[in-house]
Amino acid sequence: MTTGVIYVNIKMNKAKESEKMKTRQIIKYEAKELIQKNGLWLSIGLPHIIVTSAILGVALTDSTFVFPLSLVNMILTLASSLYLYQIVTGQIDIKPTFGGQISDMISTLTDKAALTYLFMNIYLFLWALIPIAGIFISVVKTYSYNLSIYIANDNQSKQYNDNITKSRTIMDGHKMDWFIQHISFIGWSLLTFITAGLAGIFVYPYIIAADAIYANKVLQQQKQ
């Protein structure tokens, strides 16, 4: 009897893993389709490549500008993530021009989202300061907090701590799935490395589009 129960549990676990794998494949397919519409990958990827290249350039000459450029890169990441999320959730449409897409991307930035993103990163930094286990804890907390900017987008009346707390609650049981999704992009990350970052112009939008789709999926499940 016990052996039979174990066998059934193994089959159920394999079925669940297979379903999760299919879901990840669908998410990645939808992400790729999304960023190819109206050349969206270029509007998101080009600014990222420019700022990243500038950071690497000044790091070798004058480190004074590394911090402000890193802040610009963080703002770009936030704006790109919110922009893609708003497209995924049907809040806005993809404009046909590069300028229109950039304009919409900038307009997604709000005080609530910016504060949520800022404090999320402050908390992650503080977690990382814990001796020995700090880096590991910070990585785990990253996945706990990942939904907070999307929650801030949907709930503008909430405070940043509320967004982070709600993310932590909803992400219970989902952190490993999101981590595995990121790991599944390792081939694309290697391509970016091999091409000295040039492939990042497509890979970067691809990954954050998949993040936006995954975030929407989890948030929709939570509402059901």
Side-chain angles (χ1 to χ4, degrees):
M1 181 67 71
T2 303
T3 304
V5 171
I6 293 174
Y7 177 71
V8 170
N9 287 337
I10 290 173
K11 287 194 68 175
M12 289 178 65
N13 288 335
K14 285 184 177 179
K16 287 179 181 178
E17 285 303 315
S18 177
E19 186 61 33
K20 288 178 180 179
M21 187 176 296
K22 287 179 183 178
T23 301
R24 281 193 291 272
Q25 291 171 347
I26 292 170
I27 287 173
K28 292 173 75 172
Y29 173 80
E30 290 177 350
K32 192 180 292 187
E33 289 288 303
L34 171 61
I35 63 172
Q36 288 176 340
K37 291 179 181 177
N38 295 335
L40 186 60
W41 61 272
L42 185 62
S43 301
I44 297 171
L46 184 59
H48 169 72
I49 287 292
I50 292 172
V51 175
T52 302
S53 299
I55 292 172
L56 292 174
V58 299
L60 298 174
T61 55
D62 186 359
S63 59
T64 306
F65 296 100
V66 171
F67 180 70
L69 284 172
S70 296
L71 285 179
V72 171
N73 199 37
M74 289 177 67
I75 293 170
L76 279 174
T77 299
L78 175 61
S80 301
S81 298
L82 293 175
Y83 176 52
L84 286 166
Y85 178 72
Q86 289 187 9
I87 293 172
V88 169
T89 54
Q91 297 176 49
I92 56 175
D93 296 320
I94 304 173
K95 289 183 178 175
T97 63
F98 180 88
Q101 293 168 8
I102 293 293
S103 177
D104 280 350
M105 195 184 310
I106 294 171
S107 69
T108 63
L109 292 170
T110 63
D111 292 342
K112 279 286 190 294
L115 277 173
T116 298
Y117 189 60
L118 172 63
F119 278 91
M120 180 186 82
N121 281 284
I122 289 173
Y123 294 155
L124 292 175
F125 173 74
L126 293 175
W127 281 115
L129 294 179
I130 295 175
I132 303 175
I135 299 299
F136 174 77
I137 294 173
S138 182
V139 170
V140 174
K141 291 295 182 181
T142 296
Y143 288 94
S144 292
Y145 301 161
N146 265 351
L147 287 179
S148 59
I149 60 170
Y150 306 108
I151 294 170
N153 178 85
D154 294 339
N155 303 280
Q156 290 299 316
S157 62
K158 291 197 171 185
Q159 296 297 315
Y160 60 86
N161 265 330
D162 292 334
N163 299 324
I164 294 171
T165 300
K166 187 172 182 179
S167 174
R168 193 176 68 244
T169 301
I170 297 174
M171 282 303 294
D172 186 28
H174 295 285
K175 292 187 286 293
M176 182 57 70
D177 287 345
W178 207 340
F179 174 73
I180 293 173
Q181 177 171 299
H182 282 163
I183 292 296
S184 71
F185 283 98
I186 192 167
W188 288 96
S189 299
L190 287 173
L191 178 62
T192 302
F193 177 77
I194 292 169
T195 59
L198 292 178
I201 198 170
F202 182 85
V203 176
Y204 172 75
Y206 184 21
I207 293 174
I208 60 173
D211 283 346
I213 293 170
Y214 183 84
N216 181 53
K217 171 179 168 290
V218 173
L219 289 170
Q220 289 302 314
Q221 285 178 349
Q222 187 268 337
K223 292 177 182 178
Q224 293 175 359

